[in-house]
Amino acid sequence: MSIDPIAIFTASDLKQSGPILDAATQGVVRIKRRGEAFLLLRETQFETMIAEAADPRPKTLADLLVDYDPNDVKQRLTTWINEQPSGRETL
């Protein structure tokens, strides 16, 4: 998961917190201090992120295709197609 901030501030900008909190109402804010980066976000945004992370279902096509091996799928299908019917198949 990638978190793209809508604004970046420095720690010294915290003296005037109004603009930082205003930006945080719109999205995630990054605050930098001495080579460290911190994120400021609304509690509801955090709860949504936790809920999404706890849900094992794929969220995007890229998530769905993680660990997809086309050669493995091709080999499995070839084996399946070449198997002789047992006479007990049901639809």
Side-chain angles (χ1 to χ4, degrees), residues 64-84:
L64 185 63
L65 296 176
V66 169
D67 298 327
Y68 172 74
D69 182 2
N71 293 325
D72 179 54
V73 172
K74 183 177 179 180
Q75 186 270 329
R76 288 173 189 243
L77 286 175
T78 302
T79 302
W80 179 73
I81 289 170
N82 292 333
E83 284 180 354
Q84 293 298 317

Side-chain angles (χ1 to χ4, degrees), residues 11-29:
S12 60
D13 294 331
L14 291 172
K15 294 174 187 172
Q16 298 274 334
S17 62
I20 297 172
L21 293 174
D22 290 340
T25 62
Q26 303 298 316
V28 177
V29 173

Side-chain angles (χ1 to χ4, degrees), residues 25-41:
T25 62
Q26 303 298 316
V28 177
V29 173
R30 178 171 286 139
I31 300 170
K32 291 189 170 193
R33 179 179 183 249
R34 296 182 187 160
E36 295 283 333
F38 304 88
L39 296 177
L40 176 65
L41 62 150

